[in-house]
Amino acid sequence: MTRKIVIVGGSMGGLRAAEQLRASGWTETITIIGTEPHLPYNRPPLSKELLENPGTVDAALDSVRFRHRGSVADVEWRLGTEVISADLANNSLTLASGEAVSYDGLVIATGLRPRRLPLPGPLRGRHVLRTIEDAVELHQELREGTRVAVIGAGFIGCETAATATKLGCKVTLLEGTSGPMQRALGEELSAGIRDYLVGQGINYHGHARVSGLLSAENGKDDESRCSGIVLDDGTEIRADVIIESVGSIPNVEWLEGNDVDITNGVLCDEHLRVVGTDNAVAVGDIARFPDLRNRSGARRIEHWSIPGDTAKIAAKALIAKLNGTALPEPAVPLPSFWSNQFDLKIQGVGSPNLATRIVELEGSAKTPQDGVVMGYYQDDALVAVVSVDLPADRQLHYRQLVKDRHSGLPQQDSQLQAI
Amino acid sequence: MKIFVDRQLCENHGQCAIAAPDVFRMNAEGILEYDENVDDSLLADVEDAQDACPVQAIFIQDQP
């Protein structure tokens, strides 16, 4: 009888898992179950070029759908299908329809969903950006002169604010900390990018706490529609469109009731095997796994490169278990990320949030538009580099230094000085 | 196999040069250079490069 691996999650992580299972020698059945009705597509354009000019949902999908390796042509896709619970001890899943699905091996790749602001009030005009439908619907509201409030200045918030500005909207960007992308980039570069975004016409509010929503005035417009936001200091900001970009929540609820740790994503070992199970692995930004490179404990990484990186490790581990073969040494992912905002091309490698010290390696954080390279040091080891507008060959150079956890601060280091 | 990179899409991120350095290189100006005709034995590397490309600009023609 042929055995079956079920992948729960039909987005990039699910596709990469299937491809890596095939690449690692799994020739038996693979089923992918995903809630979205579409085959996997690339999400980064959703806040950038696709939001600027999506066309119809079908046209938008055509422009971002992932190509599949030939090896996964025989994978069974069950799209528009939700797994509502799992009995990991008995290798069984339950679908929303009530149907039970059994498996020999399980890949957990259900990813994240946007966190919503816990604010009562009008619903229309409130947006999040996660799916292709979200992007197409949001685009339809971003007209010349539309007042837009973007709540949350992480990567998605900043990119969305930039795109809305390009479309002629009057954009206010609000953030709870002082600077945009501050947690990811550190204070100095964040401050430089804030000034740049303001220079591009964005109205920036730091230390902003949203306490309520305004709705259209009675009789004048639809009461169910947002007309602005209220901050906790009483400031009112008028907005026709509100975009909530305040982080994400792992889709783990379907795993409740099993003896696994789902407090922040799914806790895994360094092979991406779910702790507490012997035939389940997790892939993508839902996986909380130990950072062997920096010995910094288990964490989730929400970068685009992570589904592919974790799929490679997880697929090998799951097949080793199912086939009783030796478990190879796990690869150690090196996260990489990028963000385009107006003319800024921000690129990073490594884990900047581990930094105990941040150093300007080239240029000035005050003027990111002129090019800058920031080094992020954990004690004296280089754990990340973030650059703006740096040619790729130079990025590869810095990537190698991060990979090596290059030690020595730049002023003491001839190699860095020579750059 | 034959490789094609859509230059309209390519933003010179350089991820392909990490995944498949025998096929893709970033020159001193930071611009991608690549081999169009590649031995089939490098398929796995090229597929990794395809996966790693943030803008999904790499195409394989005559896939083995």
Side-chain angles (χ1 to χ4, degrees):
Chain A
M1 214 178 89
T2 158
R3 296 173 298 171
K4 176 156 83 173
I5 292 176
V6 174
I7 299 169
V8 184
S11 190
M12 185 189 193
L15 173 62
R16 294 290 180 249
E19 290 176 335
Q20 291 302 324
L21 286 166
R22 287 285 184 250
S24 301
W26 183 257
T27 56
E28 298 177 62
T29 303
I30 298 175
T31 297
I32 300 179
I33 305 175
T35 52
E36 278 192 79
H38 313 298
L39 286 166
Y41 55 90
N42 200 22
R43 296 190 198 275
L46 267 51
S47 52
K48 308 190 233 347
E49 54 268 38
L50 190 137
L51 180 61
E52 202 172 338
N53 183 20
T56 63
V57 168
D58 285 342
L61 269 174
D62 281 344
S63 70
V64 292
R65 198 178 280 123
F66 283 117
R67 294 186 295 280
H68 299 187
R69 295 188 184 185
S71 62
V72 296
D74 62 349
V75 163
E76 180 196 20
W77 291 89
R78 299 194 62 176
L79 301 173
T81 303
E82 188 181 4
V83 175
I84 57 164
S85 66
D87 179 351
L88 301 182
N90 291 301
N91 300 337
S92 178
L93 309 171
T94 303
L95 307 183
S97 63
E99 182 188 345
V101 175
S102 63
Y103 60 81
D104 297 281
L106 177 67
V107 179
I108 295 167
T110 38
L112 313 176
R113 64 179 180 275
R115 194 163 80 76
R116 299 303 303 249
L117 289 169
L119 296 175
L123 293 174
R124 290 179 49 230
R126 281 176 81 168
H127 293 263
V128 291
L129 200 45
R130 176 74 185 173
T131 66
I132 197 119
E133 288 83 0
D134 290 341
V136 171
E137 285 166 21
L138 176 57
H139 173 82
Q140 286 163 359
E141 295 220 86
L142 299 180
R143 303 209 177 89
E144 180 94 36
T146 301
R147 297 166 305 176
V148 176
V150 180
I151 304 172
F155 286 108
I156 291 173
C158 290
E159 290 168 1
T160 307
T163 303
T165 303
K166 284 204 249 177
L167 287 168
C169 302
K170 299 168 107 62
V171 177
T172 301
L173 179 58
L174 300 115
E175 170 57 37
T177 61
S178 66
M181 304 167 289
Q182 188 170 295
R183 213 159 35 119
L185 305 181
E187 263 177 50
E188 285 182 314
L189 184 54
S190 169
I193 293 175
R194 179 197 60 213
D195 293 345
Y196 171 80
L197 293 176
V198 168
Q200 297 293 316
I202 289 176
N203 176 22
Y204 187 85
H205 273 257
H207 302 294
R209 301 250 173 259
V210 178
S211 62
L213 300 178
L214 300 168
S215 62
E217 288 159 63
N218 229 343
K220 189 179 164 202
D221 199 353
D222 187 347
E223 273 183 82
S224 67
R225 191 175 173 94
C226 298
S227 64
I229 56 180
V230 187
L231 304 184
D232 64 356
D233 64 3
T235 307
E236 292 189 358
I237 296 168
R238 296 285 156 183
D240 311 298
V241 171
I242 293 168
I243 300 165
E244 300 174 27
S245 47
V246 289
S248 313
I249 299 173
N251 293 319
V252 293
E253 290 80 357
W254 61 283
L255 291 163
E256 281 169 4
N258 291 283
D259 194 16
V260 294
D261 180 345
I262 53 170
T263 49
N264 174 17
V266 180
L267 182 65
C268 300
D269 68 7
E270 66 271 28
H271 294 277
L272 278 309
R273 296 177 298 190
V274 176
V275 174
T277 71
D278 68 355
N279 60 343
V281 294
V283 163
D285 42 21
I286 198 172
R288 180 158 51 97
F289 62 102
D291 179 354
L292 294 184
R293 181 179 306 281
N294 303 305
R295 307 272 165 203
S296 64
R299 61 200 175 97
R300 296 191 305 104
I301 305 175
E302 295 183 10
H303 290 316
W304 183 88
S305 62
I306 287 299
D309 290 340
T310 52
K312 280 186 187 170
I313 303 165
K316 290 188 174 76
L318 187 56
I319 289 174
K321 166 64 191 174
L322 293 176
N323 288 349
T325 51
L327 187 61
E329 277 294 300
V332 182
L334 182 59
S336 65
F337 54 94
W338 81 99
S339 177
N340 298 343
Q341 298 164 25
F342 298 105
D343 291 329
L344 291 192
K345 197 170 159 192
I346 304 165
Q347 289 179 294
V349 61
S351 304
N353 55 340
L354 298 177
T356 52
R357 181 175 176 192
I358 303 173
V359 177
E360 281 171 342
L361 300 178
E362 295 184 46
S364 166
K366 288 192 173 62
T367 51
Q369 63 274 24
D370 297 335
V372 63
V373 181
M374 305 295 288
Y376 299 76
Y377 288 85
Q378 186 188 40
D379 302 321
D380 66 347
L382 188 65
V383 292
V385 166
V386 175
S387 64
V388 179
D389 296 339
L390 185 73
D393 57 316
R394 305 287 306 290
Q395 286 168 36
L396 298 184
H397 167 72
Y398 282 118
R399 182 182 192 278
Q400 189 61 46
L401 297 184
V402 173
K403 200 173 176 184
D404 296 342
R405 286 176 59 87
H406 191 83
S407 63
L409 294 166
Q411 63 267 28
Q412 303 157 342
D413 188 279
S414 58
Q415 188 183 359
L416 281 166
Q417 268 180 352
I419 289 164
Chain B
M1 65 188 147
K2 251 180 117 59
I3 312 276
F4 169 71
V5 175
D6 186 334
R7 295 282 186 178
Q8 299 283 93
L9 294 173
C10 177
E11 295 177 356
N12 295 298
H13 284 270
Q15 296 295 316
C16 54
I18 299 164
D22 294 337
V23 180
F24 302 95
R25 295 164 296 276
M26 308 311 294
N27 72 18
E29 280 79 50
I31 305 298
L32 170 68
E33 292 174 353
Y34 66 101
D35 300 333
E36 292 183 7
N37 294 294
V38 176
D39 192 88
D40 290 353
S41 63
L42 290 168
L43 175 64
D45 282 357
V46 175
E47 285 184 328
D48 281 351
Q50 275 190 306
D51 287 359
C53 175
V55 292
Q56 300 285 289
I58 302 169
F59 297 80
I60 305 175
Q61 295 163 333
D62 316 321
Q63 184 144 358

